[in-house]
C-alpha cells in the first residue's frame, strides 16, 4: 500500500498534529514513512504545507512528485486549492470551509466553494462547527483527519491509537474529545462522499 | 536498539550524542535550529551533562568547539549556511590547526532560499579548506555520519563538514540507533604548538594538511556512503550527490535504474569511482542539491571531454533546490502535473503576529519619517524584516546580521542624514555591538532602534544572549546616556514614543532607542506552561 498525502494550512493552524497522528498510526502498522515539514520564515501567518508519505515499501523522495498525491487535507478552504498540481487524477481533496483571512485580497467564500465543488472528488466540511458540536472547538484538525480517514489506507482503529498516543499525556478527557472529533469527521465523509 | 522517528536535524543530534559528543555549540538559523533543540530535549544529553548552551554567534560557537577539541573531547558546531560566513575565520584556520578531539561542523544549506538571503553551497568552503564533507541522502545516513564523523575527524586530524539541505533537515523518517560510545577523556594535544598558528608553524601545518589529501581520498573510496550502482544502459552515467539520490530513485519504479549511478555522499571525490563512471558511459548527468560543484570539477573550464549535463548546460535549472520533478525532467521523463492552481488562490506571505511589539515600533517610525521622506531605514535580519512588506513598507535594507548599524553609518557618512537602523536584540548581540562601537567612536548622526522582544523570535524563540542587559551594554559601549532611551511599544505610549523618535532623529549625533516588549509567542507559551504547572 501507499498513501501520499499533502497537508495544507496557515502557519499556526497546527497541521503537524494531523501529520503526527497519522505518523504514529503508520508506525504501529509497521509501514515506512517520510514526512517533510515547513519550519521557519513562512510559519508566521504564511501558507504552510507538509508532505506525508506512507508505504509498505521503502520510500525514496521526501517530497511527493507533482500529480502523485492521493489526498490533500487542508484545514482552510483556499490553502487546499494551492496544492492541486500535486493531486493525482483520482485523488481526493478534503478541506475545511472555515476561512483563515489574514490578507487584503482574500477571495470570497462563494468563489472558493465554487472551485472546490467543481472538483469531483471533494469533501468540504465545516470542521470548526463539527468540532464545537463534538465538545471542543480546538479539535477541528482532528475532525479533518476523521473526514480524510476513509481515503487513508490505515485501519481506523490504528488512527484511534495514534490519537491516544498523541494526547495521552494530557489526560483522558482530551483523548476522548479528540476521539469523538475523529469519529464526527469520519461520519460526515461517509454521509457526503 | 530502538528505531526512532526523527527529522534529519534530530537524527544528526542523536547520532552525535551516541557518537561520544561532549559539547554542541550553535547559533540558531533555519534549517539548522532543531539540532541543538533536540539536544536540549534529550534526557541522555542531560544525564551525561553534554554541554549544550546557545552561543552568541556562529564564530564564537566554532571557536568554542575548537577549544573543546583542543582539550581532547568531541564537539559539534551547527549553523545555517550564512552562519558559516560568520564562522569562516575560525573554520578555515581550524583546518590548519587540525583537531585533537573530533570536530563535526554542520552547515545547513537552504537552496531555493526558503528562509535565507542566498543559497550559497557550503561544500565550496570545505573544498578550499581541504577537509572531508559528509552529505547524507537520508535521515539514517544523517545519524550514521554524525556517529562516525568524530572518528573520521580524529583519524584525519581535521574538522569534518556535515552538509545538509532544507528538505532533509526538516523531513522525518525512521532511524535505527547504534550503541552509545563513551566520551573522550580530557587530553592535551601531543604537540603543544599544534594550535599556535605563527607563520612558521602554520606553514608546517598547512603542508601536513596537503599531505593528508590522499588519505582523505582513500576514506572516500572505501566509504559505505559512496556507492557505485551499475546499470545496463551506458549511454548515460549519473552522479547523484546527497539528497539528490532520493529524488533520482523516486523516478525509477521499484528502484530499478537503467543507467549506472554513483551515489555520492562523502568527499573529497573518490577519483577511482568517478573515473569508472566516466570511462564506462558516453555522457554524465550530475545532480546536486546546490551549486554545480562536482559539475564544474568534471567539466573543467574548457569543457573538452565527454558531455557533462547538469546546471551549467541547462539540463537542470541553474538555481533552486532539486525535487523529484526537476530530476525527472533532467532524465527526459514526462512530468504529469495535476490540476492547475485556480486564480482565486492568492499569495499568503508571512506577516508580523497580531500583538507583536515590532508593529508598534514601525507605526511610530513611519509617522515620524513622513517629515523626512522614505529610503533611510537600514534594517537587519529577524521578524522585524517582515516590515519590508505591506502594510508597513518601512525598511530599505536587509543584508546580513549586524549590517543595519554599519550600513546606516556609511550612508550617513555619505550625507544621508538622519539614517535609521532597526535591529533585534539577538542580532544586536550576534554582531551589532561592534558596529555600534564604530558609531560611538565617530558619533555618527544615526538613530539606532534596538527592537527588544527578549528572544530570538524568527527562529522560534531561543534564549537571547543578553536578555535584559541591552541597555547596560549600550551604555558600556559608550552611548551618551542622554540619547540612550528605553521605550514601551504599546498603543497607549504612541504619542510619547513618536515625540522621542522625532527628537532623536533631529539630534545630529548617535541615539540609541530600545523599545522593549516581550515577543507575543514566547509570552503565550510562558503563560501556558505557568498555567500547566499551577494545575499540577
Ligand atoms: C549569520 C546568520 N545566522 C543566523 C541567521 C538566522 N536568523 C535570522 S533572524 C534571526 C534571529 C533574529 O532575532 P532578533 O534579532 O532578536 O529578532 P526577532 O526575530 O526576535 O524579532 C536568526 C537567528 C541568519 N539569517 N544569519
Amino acid at each position: 500500500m501507499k498513501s501520499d498525502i499533502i497537508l495544507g494550512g496557515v502557519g499556526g493552524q497546527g497541521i503537524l498534529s494531523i501529520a503526527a497522528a497519522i505518523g504514529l498510526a503508520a508506525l504501529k502498522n509497521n509501514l515506512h514513512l517520510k514526512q517533510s515539514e515547513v519550519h521557519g520564515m513562512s510559519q508566521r501567518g504564511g501558507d504552510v504545507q507538509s508532505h506525508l508519505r506512507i508505504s509498505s515499501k521503502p520510500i525514496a523522495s521526501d517530497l511527493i512528485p507533482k500529480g502523485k498525491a492521493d489526498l490533500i487535507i487542508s484545514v482552510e478552504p483556499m490553502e487546499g486549492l494551492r496544492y492541486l498540481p500535486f493531486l493525482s487524477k483520482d485523488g481526493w481533496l478534503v478541506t475545511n470551509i472555515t476561512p483563515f483571512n489574514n490578507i487584503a485580497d482574500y477571495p470570497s467564500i462563494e468563489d472558493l466553494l465554487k472551485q472546490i465543488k467543481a472538483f469531483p472528488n471533494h469533501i468540504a466540511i465545516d470542521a470548526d462547527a463539527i468540532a464545537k458540536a463534538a465538545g471542543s472547538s480546538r479539535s477541528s484538525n482532528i475532525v479533518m483527519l476523521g473526514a480524510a480517514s476513509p481515503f487513508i489506507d490505515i485501519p481506523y482503529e490504528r488512527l484511534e491509537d495514534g490519537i491516544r498516543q498523541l494526547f495521552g499525556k494530557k489526560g483522558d478527557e482530551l483523548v476522548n474529545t479528540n476521539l469523538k472529533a475523529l469519529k464526527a469527521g469520519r461520519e460526515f465523509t461517509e454521509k457526503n462522499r | 536498539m530502538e528505531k526512532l522517528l526523527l527529522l534529519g536535524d534530530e537524527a544528526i543530534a542523536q547520532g552525535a550524542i551516541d557518537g561520544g559528543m561532549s559539547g554542541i555549540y550553535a547559533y540558531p538559523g533555519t534549517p539548522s535550529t532543531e539540532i541543538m533543540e533536540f539536544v536540549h530535549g534529550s534526557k541522555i544529553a542531560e544525564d551525561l551533562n553534554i554541554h549544550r548552551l546557545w552561543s552568541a554567534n556562529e564564530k564564537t560557537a566554532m571557536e568554542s568547539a575548537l577549544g573543546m577539541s583542543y582539550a581532547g573531547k568531541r564537539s559539534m558546531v551547527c549553523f545555517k549556511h550564512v552562519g558559516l560566513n560568520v564562522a569562516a575565520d575560525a573554520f578555515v584556520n581550524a583546518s590548519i590547526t587540525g583537531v585533537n578531539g573530533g570536530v563535526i561542523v554542520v552547515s545547513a544549506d537552504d537552496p531555493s532560499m526558503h528562509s535565507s538571503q542566498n543559497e550559497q553551497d557550503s561544500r565550496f568552503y570545505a573544498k578550499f579548506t581541504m577537509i572531508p564533507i559528509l552529505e547524507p541522502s537520508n535521515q539514517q545516513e544523517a545519524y550514521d555520519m554524525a556517529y562516525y564523523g568524530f572518528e573520521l575527524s580524529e583519524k584525519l586530524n581535521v574538522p569534518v563538514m556535515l552538509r545538509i539541505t532544507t528538505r532533509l533537515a526538516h523531513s522525518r523518517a525512521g532511524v535505527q540507533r547504534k550503541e552509545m560510545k563513551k566520551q573522550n577523556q580530557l587530553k592535551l594535544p601531543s604537540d603543544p604548538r599544534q594550535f599556535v598558528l605563527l607563520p612558521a608553524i602554520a606553514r608546517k601545518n598547512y603542508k601536513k594538511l596537503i599531505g593528508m589529501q590522499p588519505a582523505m581520498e582513500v576514506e572516500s573510496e572505501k566509504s559505505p556512503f559512496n556507492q557505485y550502482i551499475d546499470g545496463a544502459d551506458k549511454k548515460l552515467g549519473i552522479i547523484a550527490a546527497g539528497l539528490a539520490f532520493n529524488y533520482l530513485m523516486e523516478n525509477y519504479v521499484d528502484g530499478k535504474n537503467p543507467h549506472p549511478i554513483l551515489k555520492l555522499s562523502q568527499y573529497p571525490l573518490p577519483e577511482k569511482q568517478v573515473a569508472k563512471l566516466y570511462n564506462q558511459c558516453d555522457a554524465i548527468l550530475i545532480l546536486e542539491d546546490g551549486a554545480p560543484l562536482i559539475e564544474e570539477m568534471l567539466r573543467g573550464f574548457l569543457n573538452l571531454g565527454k558531455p557533462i549535463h547538469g546546471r551549467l548546460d541547462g539540463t537542470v535549472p541553474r538555481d533552486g533546490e532539486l525535487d523529484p520533478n526537476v530530476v525527472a525532467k533532467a532524465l527526459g521523463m514526462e512530468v504529469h502535473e495535476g490540476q492547475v492552481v485556480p486564480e482565486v488562490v492568492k499569495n499568503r506571505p508571512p506577516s508580523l503576529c497580531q500583538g507583536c511589539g515590532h508593529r508598534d515600533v514601525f507605526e511610530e517610525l513611519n509617522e515620524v519619517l513622513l517629515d523626512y521622506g522614505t529610503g533611510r531605514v537600514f534594517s537587519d535580519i529577524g521578524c522585524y524584516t517582515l516590515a519590508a512588506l505591506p502594510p508597513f513598507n518601512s525598511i530599505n535594507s536587509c543584508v546580513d546580521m549586524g549590517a543595519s548599524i554599519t550600513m546606516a553609518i556609511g550612508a550617513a557618512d555619505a550625507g544621508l542624514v538622519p539614517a535609521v537602523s532597526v535591529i533585534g536584540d539577538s542580532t544586536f548581540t550576534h554582531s551589532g555591538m561592534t558596529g555600534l562601537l564604530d558609531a560611538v567612536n565617530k558619533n555618527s548622526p544615526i538613530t539606532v532602534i534596538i527592537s527588544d522582544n527578549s528572544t530570538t523570535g524568527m527562529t522560534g524563540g531561543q534564549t537571547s544572549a543578553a536578555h535584559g542587559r541591552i541597555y547596560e551594554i549600550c551604555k558600556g559601549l559608550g552611548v551618551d546616556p542622554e540619547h540612550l532611551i528605553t521605550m514601551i511599544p504599546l498603543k497607549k505610549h504612541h504619542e510619547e514614543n513618536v515625540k522621542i523618535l522625532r527628537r532623536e532623529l533631529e539630534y545630529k549625533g548617535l541615539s540609541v532607542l530600545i523599545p522593549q516588549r516581550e515577543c507575543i509567542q514566547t509570552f503565550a507559551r510562558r503563560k501556558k506552561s505557568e498555567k500547566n504547572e499551577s494545575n499540577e
Side-chain angles (χ1 to χ4, degrees), chain A residues 111-132:
Chain A
D111 285 349
L112 287 172
L113 286 177
K114 205 156 82 197
Q115 289 296 337
I116 293 165
K117 289 184 176 155
F119 197 73
N121 289 350
H122 79 269
I123 300 289
I125 173 172
D126 189 345
D128 291 60
I130 291 179
K132 216 171 181 177

Side-chain angles (χ1 to χ4, degrees), chain A residues 44, chain B residues 27-30 58 79-80 82-86 115-117 358 380-385 400-401 423-428 430 451 453-459 462 464 519:
Chain A
R44 273 161 241 284
Chain B
Y27 181 75
T30 315
E58 292 86 353
F79 35 65
K80 68 182 292 168
V82 286
L84 181 52
N85 299 338
V86 177
S115 332
S116 307
Q117 321 94 288
H358 295 322
D380 229 295
I381 307 191
C383 291
Y384 44 91
T385 316
D400 64 271
M401 288 187 79
I423 186 168
D425 49 322
S426 182
T427 302
F428 177 67
H430 175 282
S451 193
N453 58 3
S454 302
T455 193
T456 318
M458 179 114 262
T459 44
Q462 297 77 19
S464 185
C519 162

Side-chain angles (χ1 to χ4, degrees), chain B residues 333-380:
Chain B
M333 294 177 175
E334 225 181 303
V335 173
H336 300 281
E337 299 206 2
Q339 324 258 322
V340 287
V341 181
E343 256 170 46
V344 290
V345 176
K346 302 292 185 251
N347 283 340
R348 202 191 292 261
S351 56
L352 286 169
C353 304
Q354 294 303 327
C356 165
H358 295 322
R359 281 180 174 266
D360 296 272
V361 171
F362 287 109
E363 270 159 25
E364 293 154 13
L365 183 62
N366 278 358
E367 187 172 326
V368 174
L369 283 177
L370 286 177
D371 299 349
Y372 291 96
T374 54
R376 53 182 76 243
V377 181
F378 299 88
S379 180
D380 229 295

Side-chain angles (χ1 to χ4, degrees), chain B residues 101-119:
Chain B
V103 176
I104 300 176
V105 181
V106 184
S107 192
D109 291 356
D110 189 18
S112 281
M113 305 178 227
H114 296 281
S115 332
S116 307
Q117 321 94 288
N118 72 36
E119 58 173 32

Side-chain angles (χ1 to χ4, degrees), chain A residues 17-87:
Chain A
S17 66
I18 303 180
I22 303 175
L24 290 169
L27 279 192
K28 280 233 158 103
N29 257 18
N30 284 323
L31 294 168
H32 293 272
L33 175 138
K34 277 198 175 176
Q35 184 216 331
S36 131
E37 312 173 351
V38 175
H39 298 208
M41 188 89 149
S42 45
Q43 272 191 312
R44 273 161 241 284
D47 53 275
V48 292
Q49 54 170 310
S50 169
H51 291 213
L52 178 61
R53 316 192 73 185
I54 314 164
S55 172
S56 46
K57 291 188 203 145
I59 302 161
S61 168
D62 298 80
L63 295 175
I64 299 169
K66 293 221 172 105
K68 293 281 173 68
D70 304 293
L71 175 63
I72 294 173
I73 306 177
S74 176
V75 299
E76 205 276 349
M78 184 174 80
E79 290 308 321
L81 298 170
R82 197 183 294 284
Y83 305 108
L84 286 181
F86 285 96
L87 201 58

